Amino acid sequence: MNDRYSRQMLFEPIGEEGQDLLSDKHVVIIGAGALGTGNAEILARAGVGRITIADRDYVEWSNLQRQQLFSEEDAKYRMPKAVAARERLEQVNSDIHVEGLVLDAGAEELRELTEFADLIIDATDNFDTRLLINDISQEKKIPWIYGACVGSYGLSYVILPGETPCLSCLLEKVPMGGATCDTAGIIAPVVQMVVAHQTSEALKLLTGNTAALRNKLVSFDVWNNHYLAMDVQKLKKTDCPSCGKHPQYPHLNPENQTKTAVLCGRNTVQIRPSEKGERDLDELSLSLSRLGGKVEQNPYLLSYSNQEEQRLVFFKDGRVLIHGTKDITEAKNLYYSLIG
């Protein structure tokens, strides 16, 4: 073990044995926004051997205020967040393996991503994905760490399959908030506060220090100086469809998964293809160029803006983001008018 981790190894609960454990662990981070980049950087610097980052979006200028792995160049060229995060982390720690995947994490994708995972970290911005993570976690018996923040308010909780209430249990009793960063804004310190709670619990889990886990849901407001730790163990339900005695994992059911989604607070609709396949961006560029408008392309995505100032972003995995509307029907009509 080189000197890179010497100060961390001097921390008695981790030590050399814990550092060896970290080097053998695989953490899957769903989302590469503020929480995702913060978690990824701390765990990469800590020496977690394998980190997989999955994200469906690309870097925009508004991200740079709080999403710490990205640069102005990333925003300028609309780099996929997962790719930009991976490239930065490879510069931070070349001793570990970092995988950055540009995809929308549905049930099928999550099953593949977590095949050999030791821990899942939630860095998403919507409960549809979180409930998928929750059911995958319960089905595969993989712990996951919930995190959320908006404005100056943050939440975090560790979910251990078979031991703690799951997210489905909590949603019936604990208010999780309805505002988004795009409606209420956000300040960077609350991001770092949530990341600190998530990563400290992650290090405990990954090094076998489970007795030190917090075992409470924490919420805080860093602007108004509020902090609360809630014991939610009594909320665990024996008849919960996700973690009860007879689990059905309802959110993994294909019937409960949509091919279109309104992105949280973004005035944007995402359309997923009905079948998997790789889109030929070069061919699409030629086709759209004939229609007029503006076409911009990088190796991972293509952006098309028409004369009505509507913008569509096409990804190689077939997905498309339609910016400027929350109306799914309107988004589909625009998409089909261009693609057929």
Side-chain angles (χ1 to χ4, degrees):
M1 190 71 65
N2 60 35
D3 190 55
R4 176 190 288 269
Y5 310 113
S6 60
R7 301 304 184 269
Q8 184 165 276
M9 290 162 60
L10 286 172
F11 181 62
E12 187 175 348
I14 294 181
E16 186 171 345
E17 182 179 350
Q19 194 64 51
D20 288 338
L21 287 172
L22 287 176
S23 68
D24 289 332
K25 299 299 184 181
H26 177 202
V27 175
V28 174
I29 300 175
I30 306 300
L35 294 180
T37 54
N39 274 280
E41 181 164 2
I42 287 179
L43 296 180
R45 291 184 184 277
V48 172
R50 182 181 174 193
I51 298 173
T52 298
I53 306 168
D55 190 277
R56 64 186 179 183
D57 212 346
Y58 58 91
V59 182
E60 298 182 279
W61 289 96
S62 62
N63 301 150
L64 301 182
Q65 163 251 357
R66 66 199 181 282
Q67 299 183 15
Q68 63 191 58
L69 292 179
F70 305 138
S71 68
E72 291 185 352
E73 287 290 295
D74 296 325
K76 180 179 178 180
Y77 293 106
R78 297 192 179 99
M79 288 294 290
K81 290 183 179 181
V83 173
R86 184 204 72 219
E87 291 179 351
R88 173 60 181 149
L89 292 175
E90 287 174 343
Q91 295 174 336
V92 167
N93 191 347
S94 60
D95 289 345
I96 65 172
H97 176 73
V98 181
E99 189 174 22
L101 301 174
V102 186
L103 54 80
D104 186 30
E108 184 179 350
E109 290 81 6
L110 281 171
R111 279 199 175 97
E112 294 177 4
L113 291 175
T114 58
E115 183 64 29
F116 300 104
D118 298 290
L119 174 65
I120 307 169
I121 291 184
D122 161 40
T124 65
D125 60 3
N126 69 90
F127 278 100
D128 288 338
T129 306
R130 287 185 178 117
L131 287 168
L132 281 172
I133 294 171
N134 186 68
D135 278 9
I136 284 288
S137 161
Q138 298 299 324
E139 182 185 62
K140 293 193 168 191
K141 311 302 180 192
I142 303 170
W144 73 285
I145 304 177
Y146 167 76
C149 51
V150 65
S152 58
Y153 177 76
L155 281 170
S156 183
Y157 183 60
V158 179
I159 295 174
L160 303 175
E163 297 182 34
T164 68
C166 76
L167 184 62
S168 293
C169 296
L170 297 182
L171 283 178
E172 289 195 4
K173 298 291 184 180
V174 180
M176 294 293 190
T180 72
C181 299
D182 298 85
T183 58
I186 188 168
I187 56 174
V190 73
V191 174
Q192 297 302 320
M193 188 83 160
V194 175
V195 167
H197 281 80
Q198 287 185 292
T199 51
S200 59
E201 298 302 283
L203 290 175
K204 295 173 191 178
L205 279 166
L206 297 171
T207 58
N209 287 283
T210 54
L213 288 170
R214 184 175 53 244
N215 296 324
K216 291 185 179 182
L217 185 150
V218 296
S219 67
F220 39 82
D221 188 323
V222 297
W223 194 266
N224 295 302
N225 306 308
H226 298 156
Y227 190 97
L228 177 67
M230 294 181 283
D231 186 348
V232 295
Q233 189 61 35
K234 291 182 179 179
L235 299 183
K236 184 170 175 58
K237 298 168 57 180
T238 57
D239 62 347
C240 174
S242 295
C243 74
K245 291 183 177 179
H246 305 288
Q248 299 172 347
Y249 315 119
H251 302 285
L252 301 181
N253 189 324
E255 294 179 0
N256 294 331
Q257 298 169 39
T258 60
K259 296 299 181 183
T260 58
V262 180
L263 269 61
C264 178
R266 289 280 303 279
N267 197 32
T268 297
V269 172
Q270 174 183 258
I271 297 177
R272 296 180 64 185
S274 56
E275 296 181 3
K276 278 191 171 184
E278 186 167 305
R279 189 187 299 277
D280 188 328
L281 296 181
D282 293 330
E283 181 179 322
L284 180 61
S285 176
L286 289 174
S287 175
L288 293 177
S289 296
R290 301 188 188 103
L291 302 177
K294 184 178 182 181
V295 177
E296 298 175 287
Q297 185 179 349
N298 66 35
Y300 309 98
L301 57 83
L302 181 149
S303 172
Y304 172 72
S305 303
N306 62 19
Q307 295 175 347
E308 286 74 38
E309 297 185 354
Q310 297 166 310
R311 186 159 65 87
L312 293 84
V313 177
F314 300 87
F315 291 84
K316 292 185 73 173
D317 64 1
R319 291 179 301 114
V320 59
L321 300 182
I322 295 94
H323 295 288
T325 183
K326 296 178 182 178
D327 187 309
I328 290 176
T329 300
E330 179 185 350
K332 283 184 174 181
N333 288 339
L334 178 57
Y335 173 73
Y336 291 128
S337 70
L338 294 174
I339 302 302

